[in-house]
Amino acid sequence: MRAGKGLAPYLALAVAIPAISTGAILVRLSSAPSSVAAAYRVLFTTLPLLPIAVLRYREQFRAIGRRDVLFACCSGLALAVHFAAWFESLSWTSVAASVTLVQSQPIFVAIGAWAVLSERVTRRTAVGILVAVAGIVTMSVGDLFSGAVGSDPLLGNSLAVTGAIMAAVYVLAGRSLRQRLALIPYVVIVYSVCTVGLLALVVAQGHALTGYGEQEWLVFLGLAVGPGLLGHTVINWALGHLESSVVSVSLLGEPVGSTVLAALILAETPTLVTVAGGAVVLAGIVTTATEQEPAQ
């Protein structure tokens, strides 16, 4: 365990995991296009960070080199595709399948680190990857023929996996940057680029950015405050006090929490195939994530 032992980091995770688990439910409760919800989630997450960045990190921003800015922009664009793909997946498949599959990003981080960064893949990691892939195939093929929740579970599951791959790109692009940049300057650049990318997607799709009712704006704000600020921001803080493997495994509480909330709030009960395949995916993630860095 790193510096900062005590109950505080664990209490932080106890707050962050339920907060993250509300993300898929809030997306489902919104009637706005998925890209609009994604854009406002990131925008409303970024806005409170801007005054902090301006007041406390001016010198750090000036010291950032062009190459680091470029990599941060790539990370932001990958994050935009992640959100766009994952939010859209929730329109086509079950909450349980979507959230479980999008959490498979540690698998793709391990593959990308081996292919791009020439990092060694241990036997444990390889086994974890194979187990998780088997679970993904089980969920995607099984859902297609088992009357799974969702109008097109194969499409939805594919989008969720795409979201996981883009989350892995986001992690890999930011892995070296976080060694040189403070958290706030890094996330402000990444989130800002992500917001611009999502807003561009909204415009390209012809969706309106205004004219939504009060409930929609509350959902957008809830996505920023819950999964955004109370979720991922708190997890980033906990990473400074707990081993990465502890945080990685704790993130697997999101699919469980989201599935329970979907059953209680949306009356959405996953099929046995989804539950079985999801359990296999989670087992593979546990095996892999204990040797890999989690999403930042």
Side-chain angles (χ1 to χ4, degrees), residues 123-203:
R123 180 178 299 179
R124 178 188 178 90
T125 300
V127 169
I129 291 172
L130 292 176
V131 170
V133 169
I136 291 172
V137 172
T138 300
M139 291 182 75
S140 299
V141 176
D143 283 356
L144 185 63
F145 298 105
S146 65
V149 177
S151 57
D152 193 339
L154 184 59
L155 173 60
N157 291 353
S158 298
L159 286 168
V161 172
T162 300
I165 294 172
M166 288 298 103
V169 173
Y170 160 65
V171 170
L172 290 170
R175 177 172 278 179
S176 62
L177 288 177
R178 282 291 288 116
Q179 296 176 12
R180 299 187 296 277
L181 304 181
L183 176 63
I184 295 299
Y186 171 70
V187 297
V188 164
I189 295 175
V190 171
Y191 289 175
S192 297
V193 172
C194 179
T195 300
V196 172
L198 287 169
L199 290 175
L201 176 62
V202 171
V203 173

Coordinates of all heavy atoms in Angstrom, one line a residue, residues 123-203:
R123 N 2.3 -14.9 -18.0 CA 1.4 -16.0 -18.2 C 0.0 -15.7 -17.5 O -1.0 -16.0 -18.1 CB 1.9 -17.3 -17.6 CG 1.1 -18.6 -17.7 CD 1.7 -19.8 -17.2 NE 3.0 -20.1 -17.9 CZ 3.8 -21.1 -17.6 NH1 3.4 -21.9 -16.6 NH2 4.9 -21.3 -18.3
R124 N 0.0 -15.1 -16.3 CA -1.2 -14.8 -15.7 C -2.0 -13.8 -16.5 O -3.3 -14.0 -16.6 CB -0.9 -14.1 -14.3 CG -2.1 -13.7 -13.5 CD -1.6 -12.9 -12.3 NE -2.7 -12.4 -11.5 CZ -3.3 -13.0 -10.5 NH1 -2.9 -14.2 -10.2 NH2 -4.3 -12.5 -9.9
T125 N -1.4 -12.8 -17.1 CA -2.1 -11.8 -17.9 C -2.7 -12.5 -19.1 O -3.8 -12.2 -19.5 CB -1.1 -10.7 -18.3 OG1 -0.6 -10.0 -17.2 CG2 -1.9 -9.7 -19.2
A126 N -1.9 -13.4 -19.8 CA -2.4 -14.1 -21.0 C -3.6 -14.9 -20.7 O -4.6 -15.0 -21.4 CB -1.3 -15.0 -21.5
V127 N -3.6 -15.6 -19.5 CA -4.7 -16.4 -19.1 C -5.9 -15.5 -18.9 O -7.1 -15.9 -19.3 CB -4.4 -17.2 -17.8 CG1 -5.7 -17.9 -17.3 CG2 -3.4 -18.3 -18.1
G128 N -5.7 -14.4 -18.2 CA -6.8 -13.5 -18.0 C -7.4 -13.0 -19.2 O -8.7 -12.8 -19.3
I129 N -6.6 -12.6 -20.2 CA -7.1 -12.2 -21.5 C -8.0 -13.2 -22.2 O -9.1 -12.9 -22.7 CB -5.9 -11.8 -22.4 CG1 -5.2 -10.5 -21.9 CG2 -6.4 -11.5 -23.8 CD1 -4.0 -10.1 -22.6
L130 N -7.5 -14.5 -22.2 CA -8.2 -15.5 -22.9 C -9.5 -15.8 -22.2 O -10.6 -16.0 -22.8 CB -7.4 -16.8 -22.9 CG -6.1 -16.8 -23.8 CD1 -5.3 -18.1 -23.6 CD2 -6.5 -16.6 -25.2
V131 N -9.5 -15.8 -20.8 CA -10.8 -16.0 -20.1 C -11.8 -14.9 -20.4 O -13.0 -15.1 -20.6 CB -10.5 -16.1 -18.6 CG1 -11.8 -16.0 -17.8 CG2 -9.7 -17.3 -18.2
A132 N -11.3 -13.6 -20.4 CA -12.2 -12.5 -20.6 C -12.8 -12.5 -22.0 O -14.0 -12.2 -22.2 CB -11.5 -11.2 -20.4
V133 N -11.9 -12.8 -23.0 CA -12.4 -12.9 -24.4 C -13.5 -14.0 -24.5 O -14.5 -13.8 -25.2 CB -11.2 -13.2 -25.3 CG1 -11.7 -13.5 -26.7 CG2 -10.3 -12.0 -25.4
A134 N -13.3 -15.1 -23.8 CA -14.2 -16.2 -23.9 C -15.6 -15.7 -23.3 O -16.7 -16.0 -23.8 CB -13.7 -17.4 -23.1
G135 N -15.5 -14.9 -22.2 CA -16.7 -14.4 -21.7 C -17.4 -13.4 -22.6 O -18.6 -13.4 -22.7
I136 N -16.6 -12.6 -23.3 CA -17.2 -11.6 -24.2 C -17.9 -12.3 -25.4 O -19.0 -11.9 -25.8 CB -16.0 -10.7 -24.8 CG1 -15.5 -9.7 -23.7 CG2 -16.5 -9.9 -26.0 CD1 -14.3 -9.0 -24.1
V137 N -17.3 -13.3 -25.9 CA -17.9 -14.1 -27.0 C -19.2 -14.8 -26.5 O -20.2 -14.8 -27.2 CB -16.9 -15.2 -27.5 CG1 -17.6 -16.1 -28.5 CG2 -15.7 -14.5 -28.2
T138 N -19.1 -15.3 -25.3 CA -20.3 -15.9 -24.7 C -21.5 -15.0 -24.6 O -22.6 -15.2 -24.9 CB -20.0 -16.5 -23.3 OG1 -19.0 -17.5 -23.4 CG2 -21.3 -17.2 -22.7
M139 N -21.2 -13.8 -24.0 CA -22.2 -12.8 -23.9 C -22.8 -12.3 -25.2 O -24.0 -12.2 -25.4 CB -21.7 -11.6 -23.1 CG -21.4 -11.8 -21.7 SD -20.8 -10.3 -20.8 CE -22.3 -9.5 -20.6
S140 N -21.9 -12.0 -26.2 CA -22.3 -11.4 -27.4 C -23.1 -12.4 -28.3 O -24.1 -12.1 -28.8 CB -21.1 -10.9 -28.2 OG -20.4 -9.9 -27.5
V141 N -22.6 -13.6 -28.4 CA -23.3 -14.7 -29.2 C -24.5 -15.2 -28.5 O -25.6 -15.3 -29.1 CB -22.3 -15.8 -29.6 CG1 -23.1 -16.9 -30.3 CG2 -21.1 -15.3 -30.4
G142 N -24.3 -15.4 -27.2 CA -25.5 -16.0 -26.4 C -26.6 -15.0 -26.3 O -27.8 -15.4 -26.5
D143 N -26.3 -13.7 -26.1 CA -27.4 -12.7 -26.1 C -28.2 -12.6 -27.4 O -29.4 -12.3 -27.4 CB -26.8 -11.3 -25.7 CG -26.4 -11.2 -24.3 OD1 -26.7 -12.1 -23.5 OD2 -25.9 -10.1 -23.9
L144 N -27.5 -12.9 -28.5 CA -28.2 -12.8 -29.8 C -29.3 -13.8 -29.9 O -30.3 -13.6 -30.6 CB -27.1 -12.9 -30.9 CG -27.6 -12.7 -32.3 CD1 -28.1 -11.3 -32.5 CD2 -26.5 -13.1 -33.3
F145 N -29.1 -15.0 -29.3 CA -30.0 -16.1 -29.5 C -30.9 -16.4 -28.3 O -31.6 -17.4 -28.3 CB -29.3 -17.3 -30.0 CG -28.5 -17.2 -31.3 CD1 -27.1 -17.0 -31.3 CD2 -29.2 -17.2 -32.5 CE1 -26.5 -16.8 -32.5 CE2 -28.5 -17.0 -33.7 CZ -27.2 -16.8 -33.7
S146 N -30.7 -15.7 -27.2 CA -31.4 -16.0 -26.0 C -32.5 -15.1 -25.6 O -33.0 -15.1 -24.4 CB -30.4 -16.1 -24.8 OG -29.8 -14.9 -24.6
G147 N -32.9 -14.2 -26.5 CA -33.9 -13.2 -26.1 C -33.5 -12.2 -25.1 O -34.2 -11.8 -24.2
A148 N -32.2 -11.8 -25.2 CA -31.6 -10.9 -24.2 C -32.3 -9.5 -24.3 O -33.0 -9.1 -25.3 CB -30.1 -10.7 -24.5
V149 N -32.2 -8.8 -23.2 CA -32.7 -7.4 -23.1 C -32.0 -6.5 -24.2 O -30.8 -6.6 -24.3 CB -32.5 -6.8 -21.7 CG1 -33.0 -5.4 -21.7 CG2 -33.3 -7.7 -20.7
G150 N -32.8 -5.7 -24.9 CA -32.3 -4.8 -25.9 C -32.7 -5.2 -27.3 O -32.9 -6.4 -27.6
S151 N -32.9 -4.2 -28.1 CA -33.4 -4.4 -29.5 C -32.4 -5.0 -30.4 O -32.7 -5.7 -31.4 CB -33.9 -3.1 -30.0 OG -32.9 -2.1 -30.0
D152 N -31.1 -4.8 -30.1 CA -30.0 -5.4 -30.9 C -28.8 -5.7 -30.1 O -27.8 -4.9 -30.1 CB -29.7 -4.5 -32.1 CG -28.8 -5.2 -33.2 OD1 -28.2 -6.2 -32.8 OD2 -28.8 -4.7 -34.3
P153 N -28.8 -6.7 -29.2 CA -27.7 -6.9 -28.3 C -26.4 -7.1 -28.9 O -25.4 -6.7 -28.3 CB -28.2 -8.2 -27.5 CG -29.2 -8.9 -28.4 CD -29.9 -7.8 -29.1
L154 N -26.3 -7.7 -30.1 CA -25.0 -7.9 -30.7 C -24.4 -6.6 -31.1 O -23.2 -6.3 -30.9 CB -25.2 -8.8 -32.0 CG -23.8 -9.1 -32.7 CD1 -22.9 -9.9 -31.8 CD2 -24.1 -10.0 -34.0
L155 N -25.2 -5.6 -31.6 CA -24.7 -4.3 -31.9 C -24.3 -3.6 -30.6 O -23.2 -3.0 -30.5 CB -25.8 -3.5 -32.7 CG -25.5 -2.0 -32.9 CD1 -24.2 -1.8 -33.7 CD2 -26.7 -1.3 -33.5
G156 N -25.2 -3.7 -29.6 CA -24.9 -3.0 -28.4 C -23.6 -3.5 -27.7 O -22.8 -2.7 -27.2
N157 N -23.5 -4.8 -27.7 CA -22.3 -5.4 -27.1 C -21.0 -5.0 -27.9 O -20.0 -4.8 -27.3 CB -22.4 -6.9 -27.1 CG -23.5 -7.4 -26.1 OD1 -24.0 -6.6 -25.3 ND2 -23.8 -8.7 -26.1
S158 N -21.1 -5.0 -29.2 CA -20.0 -4.6 -30.0 C -19.6 -3.1 -29.7 O -18.4 -2.8 -29.6 CB -20.3 -4.7 -31.5 OG -20.6 -6.1 -31.8
L159 N -20.6 -2.3 -29.6 CA -20.3 -0.9 -29.2 C -19.6 -0.8 -27.8 O -18.7 0.0 -27.6 CB -21.6 0.0 -29.3 CG -22.1 0.3 -30.6 CD1 -23.5 0.8 -30.5 CD2 -21.2 1.3 -31.4
A160 N -20.1 -1.6 -26.9 CA -19.5 -1.6 -25.6 C -18.1 -2.0 -25.6 O -17.2 -1.4 -24.9 CB -20.3 -2.5 -24.6
V161 N -17.8 -3.0 -26.4 CA -16.4 -3.5 -26.6 C -15.5 -2.4 -27.2 O -14.4 -2.2 -26.9 CB -16.3 -4.8 -27.4 CG1 -14.8 -5.2 -27.7 CG2 -16.9 -6.0 -26.6
T162 N -16.1 -1.7 -28.2 CA -15.4 -0.6 -28.8 C -15.1 0.5 -27.8 O -14.0 1.1 -27.8 CB -16.3 0.0 -30.0 OG1 -16.5 -1.0 -31.0 CG2 -15.6 1.2 -30.6
G163 N -16.1 0.7 -26.9 CA -15.8 1.7 -25.8 C -14.7 1.2 -24.9 O -13.9 2.1 -24.5
A164 N -14.6 -0.1 -24.7 CA -13.5 -0.6 -23.8 C -12.2 -0.4 -24.5 O -11.2 -0.1 -23.9 CB -13.8 -2.1 -23.5
I165 N -12.1 -0.7 -25.8 CA -10.9 -0.5 -26.6 C -10.4 0.9 -26.6 O -9.2 1.2 -26.4 CB -11.1 -1.0 -28.1 CG1 -11.3 -2.5 -28.1 CG2 -9.8 -0.6 -28.9 CD1 -11.7 -3.1 -29.4
M166 N -11.4 1.9 -26.8 CA -11.0 3.3 -26.7 C -10.6 3.7 -25.3 O -9.7 4.6 -25.2 CB -12.2 4.1 -27.2 CG -12.5 4.0 -28.7 SD -11.0 4.6 -29.7 CE -10.3 3.0 -30.2
A167 N -11.2 3.1 -24.3 CA -10.7 3.5 -23.0 C -9.3 3.0 -22.8 O -8.5 3.6 -22.1 CB -11.7 2.8 -21.9
A168 N -9.0 1.8 -23.4 CA -7.6 1.3 -23.3 C -6.6 2.3 -24.0 O -5.5 2.5 -23.5 CB -7.5 -0.1 -23.9
V169 N -7.0 2.8 -25.1 CA -6.2 3.8 -25.9 C -6.0 5.0 -25.0 O -4.9 5.6 -24.9 CB -6.8 4.1 -27.2 CG1 -6.0 5.3 -27.9 CG2 -6.9 2.9 -28.1
Y170 N -7.0 5.4 -24.3 CA -7.0 6.6 -23.4 C -6.0 6.3 -22.3 O -5.1 7.2 -22.0 CB -8.4 6.8 -22.9 CG -8.5 7.6 -21.6 CD1 -8.1 9.0 -21.6 CD2 -9.0 7.1 -20.5 CE1 -8.2 9.7 -20.4 CE2 -9.1 7.8 -19.3 CZ -8.7 9.1 -19.3 OH -8.9 9.9 -18.1
V171 N -6.0 5.2 -21.7 CA -5.1 4.8 -20.7 C -3.6 4.8 -21.2 O -2.7 5.3 -20.6 CB -5.4 3.5 -20.0 CG1 -4.3 3.0 -19.1 CG2 -6.8 3.6 -19.3
L172 N -3.4 4.1 -22.3 CA -2.1 4.0 -22.9 C -1.5 5.3 -23.3 O -0.3 5.5 -23.1 CB -2.1 3.0 -24.1 CG -2.4 1.5 -23.7 CD1 -2.6 0.7 -25.0 CD2 -1.2 0.9 -22.9
A173 N -2.3 6.2 -23.9 CA -1.8 7.5 -24.3 C -1.4 8.3 -23.1 O -0.5 9.1 -23.1 CB -2.9 8.2 -25.1
G174 N -2.2 8.1 -22.0 CA -1.9 8.9 -20.8 C -0.9 8.4 -19.8 O -0.5 9.0 -18.9
R175 N -0.5 7.1 -20.1 CA 0.3 6.4 -19.1 C 1.6 7.2 -18.9 O 2.0 7.4 -17.7 CB 0.6 5.0 -19.6 CG 1.6 4.2 -18.7 CD 1.7 2.8 -19.1 NE 0.6 2.0 -18.6 CZ 0.4 0.7 -18.8 NH1 1.3 0.1 -19.6 NH2 -0.6 0.1 -18.3
S176 N 2.3 7.6 -19.9 CA 3.6 8.3 -19.8 C 3.4 9.8 -19.4 O 4.1 10.4 -18.7 CB 4.4 8.2 -21.0 OG 3.7 8.8 -22.1
L177 N 2.3 10.3 -19.9 CA 2.0 11.8 -19.6 C 1.8 12.0 -18.1 O 2.2 13.0 -17.6 CB 0.8 12.2 -20.4 CG 0.9 12.4 -21.9 CD1 -0.4 12.8 -22.5 CD2 2.0 13.5 -22.2
R178 N 1.1 11.1 -17.4 CA 0.8 11.3 -16.0 C 2.1 11.2 -15.2 O 2.1 11.6 -14.0 CB -0.2 10.2 -15.5 CG -1.6 10.6 -15.9 CD -2.2 11.8 -15.2 NE -2.4 11.5 -13.8 CZ -1.7 12.0 -12.7 NH1 -0.8 12.9 -12.9 NH2 -2.0 11.6 -11.5
Q179 N 3.2 10.7 -15.8 CA 4.5 10.7 -15.0 C 5.1 12.1 -15.1 O 6.0 12.4 -14.2 CB 5.4 9.7 -15.6 CG 4.9 8.3 -15.5 CD 5.8 7.3 -16.2 OE1 6.9 7.6 -16.6 NE2 5.3 6.0 -16.4
R180 N 4.7 12.9 -16.0 CA 5.3 14.3 -16.2 C 4.3 15.4 -15.9 O 4.8 16.5 -15.6 CB 5.8 14.4 -17.6 CG 6.9 13.5 -18.0 CD 7.5 13.8 -19.4 NE 6.5 13.7 -20.4 CZ 6.1 12.6 -21.0 NH1 6.7 11.4 -20.7 NH2 5.3 12.6 -22.0
L181 N 3.0 15.2 -16.0 CA 2.0 16.2 -15.8 C 1.2 16.0 -14.5 O 0.9 14.8 -14.2 CB 1.1 16.3 -17.0 CG 1.7 16.5 -18.4 CD1 0.6 16.5 -19.4 CD2 2.5 17.7 -18.4
A182 N 0.9 17.1 -13.8 CA 0.0 17.0 -12.7 C -1.4 16.6 -13.1 O -1.8 16.8 -14.3 CB 0.0 18.3 -11.9
L183 N -2.2 16.0 -12.2 CA -3.5 15.5 -12.6 C -4.4 16.5 -13.2 O -5.0 16.3 -14.3 CB -4.2 14.9 -11.3 CG -5.6 14.4 -11.5 CD1 -5.6 13.2 -12.5 CD2 -6.2 13.9 -10.2
I184 N -4.5 17.7 -12.6 CA -5.5 18.7 -13.0 C -5.1 19.2 -14.4 O -6.0 19.2 -15.3 CB -5.6 19.9 -12.0 CG1 -6.1 19.4 -10.7 CG2 -6.4 21.0 -12.6 CD1 -7.5 18.9 -10.8
P185 N -3.9 19.6 -14.7 CA -3.6 20.1 -16.1 C -3.8 19.0 -17.1 O -4.3 19.2 -18.2 CB -2.1 20.4 -16.0 CG -1.8 20.8 -14.6 CD -2.7 19.9 -13.8
Y186 N -3.5 17.7 -16.8 CA -3.7 16.6 -17.7 C -5.2 16.4 -18.0 O -5.6 16.4 -19.2 CB -3.1 15.3 -17.1 CG -3.5 14.1 -17.9 CD1 -2.9 13.9 -19.2 CD2 -4.4 13.2 -17.4 CE1 -3.3 12.8 -19.9 CE2 -4.7 12.1 -18.2 CZ -4.1 11.9 -19.4 OH -4.5 10.8 -20.2
V187 N -6.0 16.3 -16.9 CA -7.4 16.0 -17.2 C -8.1 17.2 -17.8 O -9.1 17.0 -18.6 CB -8.1 15.6 -15.9 CG1 -7.6 14.3 -15.4 CG2 -8.2 16.7 -14.9
V188 N -7.7 18.4 -17.5 CA -8.4 19.6 -18.2 C -8.1 19.6 -19.7 O -9.1 19.8 -20.5 CB -7.9 20.9 -17.5 CG1 -8.2 22.1 -18.4 CG2 -8.5 21.1 -16.1
I189 N -6.9 19.3 -20.1 CA -6.6 19.2 -21.5 C -7.4 18.0 -22.2 O -8.1 18.2 -23.2 CB -5.1 19.0 -21.8 CG1 -4.3 20.2 -21.3 CG2 -4.9 18.7 -23.3 CD1 -2.8 20.1 -21.4
V190 N -7.3 16.9 -21.5 CA -8.0 15.7 -22.1 C -9.5 15.9 -22.1 O -10.2 15.6 -23.1 CB -7.6 14.4 -21.2 CG1 -8.5 13.3 -21.6 CG2 -6.2 14.1 -21.4
Y191 N -10.1 16.3 -21.0 CA -11.5 16.5 -21.0 C -12.0 17.6 -22.0 O -13.1 17.5 -22.5 CB -12.0 16.9 -19.6 CG -11.9 15.8 -18.5 CD1 -12.2 16.0 -17.2 CD2 -11.5 14.5 -18.9 CE1 -12.1 15.0 -16.3 CE2 -11.4 13.5 -18.0 CZ -11.7 13.7 -16.7 OH -11.7 12.7 -15.7
S192 N -11.2 18.7 -22.1 CA -11.6 19.7 -23.0 C -11.6 19.2 -24.5 O -12.5 19.5 -25.2 CB -10.6 20.9 -22.9 OG -10.6 21.5 -21.6
V193 N -10.6 18.5 -24.8 CA -10.5 17.9 -26.2 C -11.7 16.9 -26.4 O -12.3 16.9 -27.4 CB -9.2 17.2 -26.5 CG1 -9.2 16.4 -27.8 CG2 -8.0 18.2 -26.5
C194 N -11.9 16.1 -25.3 CA -13.0 15.2 -25.4 C -14.4 15.9 -25.6 O -15.2 15.5 -26.4 CB -13.1 14.4 -24.1 SG -14.4 13.1 -24.0
T195 N -14.6 17.0 -24.9 CA -15.8 17.8 -25.0 C -16.0 18.3 -26.4 O -17.0 18.2 -27.0 CB -15.8 18.9 -24.0 OG1 -15.7 18.4 -22.7 CG2 -17.1 19.7 -24.1
V196 N -14.9 18.9 -27.0 CA -14.9 19.4 -28.3 C -15.3 18.3 -29.3 O -16.1 18.5 -30.2 CB -13.6 20.1 -28.7 CG1 -13.6 20.5 -30.2 CG2 -13.4 21.4 -27.8
G197 N -14.6 17.1 -29.2 CA -14.9 16.0 -30.1 C -16.3 15.6 -30.0 O -16.9 15.3 -31.0
L198 N -16.9 15.5 -28.8 CA -18.3 15.0 -28.7 C -19.2 16.1 -29.2 O -20.3 15.7 -29.8 CB -18.6 14.7 -27.2 CG -17.9 13.5 -26.6 CD1 -18.1 13.4 -25.1 CD2 -18.6 12.2 -27.3
L199 N -18.9 17.4 -29.0 CA -19.8 18.4 -29.5 C -19.8 18.4 -31.0 O -20.8 18.6 -31.7 CB -19.4 19.8 -29.0 CG -19.6 20.0 -27.5 CD1 -19.0 21.4 -27.1 CD2 -21.1 20.0 -27.2
A200 N -18.6 18.2 -31.6 CA -18.5 18.0 -33.1 C -19.3 16.9 -33.6 O -20.0 17.0 -34.6 CB -17.0 17.9 -33.5
L201 N -19.3 15.8 -32.8 CA -20.2 14.6 -33.2 C -21.6 14.9 -33.2 O -22.4 14.6 -34.0 CB -19.8 13.4 -32.3 CG -20.7 12.2 -32.5 CD1 -20.5 11.6 -33.9 CD2 -20.4 11.1 -31.4
V202 N -22.0 15.7 -32.1 CA -23.4 16.1 -32.0 C -23.9 16.9 -33.2 O -24.9 16.7 -33.8 CB -23.7 16.9 -30.7 CG1 -25.0 17.5 -30.6 CG2 -23.5 16.0 -29.5
V203 N -23.0 17.9 -33.5 CA -23.3 18.8 -34.7 C -23.4 17.9 -36.0 O -24.3 18.1 -36.8 CB -22.3 19.9 -34.8 CG1 -22.5 20.7 -36.1 CG2 -22.4 20.8 -33.6

